[in-house]
Amino acid sequence: MKGIRGDEMYKCELKIMILQKGYKNVKAFSESCGVNANTLSSIMNGHRLPSFDSVYKICRTLDMRPDEIWKEQE
């Protein structure tokens, strides 16, 4: 995720987590969690910040906390 000034504040590891949990691709995960595949792709590529609703659905589906998916940069 990018901060207001455009600097990286968090590293999104969603793609890694999706694969580790056994999903074959973003579309399969999208269908499981209920978040649009284009939205997921934009979140993973840092082009879009996730809404609370998206974070909740992603975390619930992966059975993970947000800080396990979005790692704070030092």
Side-chain angles (χ1 to χ4, degrees):
M1 277 188 245
K2 294 187 186 261
I4 295 171
R5 296 176 309 221
D7 55 336
E8 297 284 336
M9 293 175 48
Y10 296 93
K11 181 178 180 192
C12 179
E13 297 187 351
L14 182 56
K15 187 170 187 171
I16 295 166
M17 300 306 171
I18 288 171
L19 296 173
Q20 284 181 350
K21 293 288 184 169
Y23 293 94
K24 295 193 184 269
N25 54 44
V26 174
K27 185 176 180 193
F29 181 70
S30 170
E31 291 170 358
S32 182
C33 75
V35 177
N36 180 281
N38 290 331
T39 300
L40 285 171
S41 181
S42 291
I43 291 168
M44 289 188 292
N45 293 323
H47 299 293
R48 179 180 188 162
L49 292 175
S51 67
F52 176 81
D53 186 53
S54 293
V55 171
Y56 180 81
K57 289 177 180 179
I58 291 166
C59 291
R60 183 186 66 210
T61 303
L62 293 174
D63 192 28
M64 299 180 81
R65 298 183 321 265
D67 66 324
E68 294 175 300
I69 301 169
W70 290 276
K71 310 268 180 160
E72 188 171 6
Q73 298 284 18
E74 295 181 14

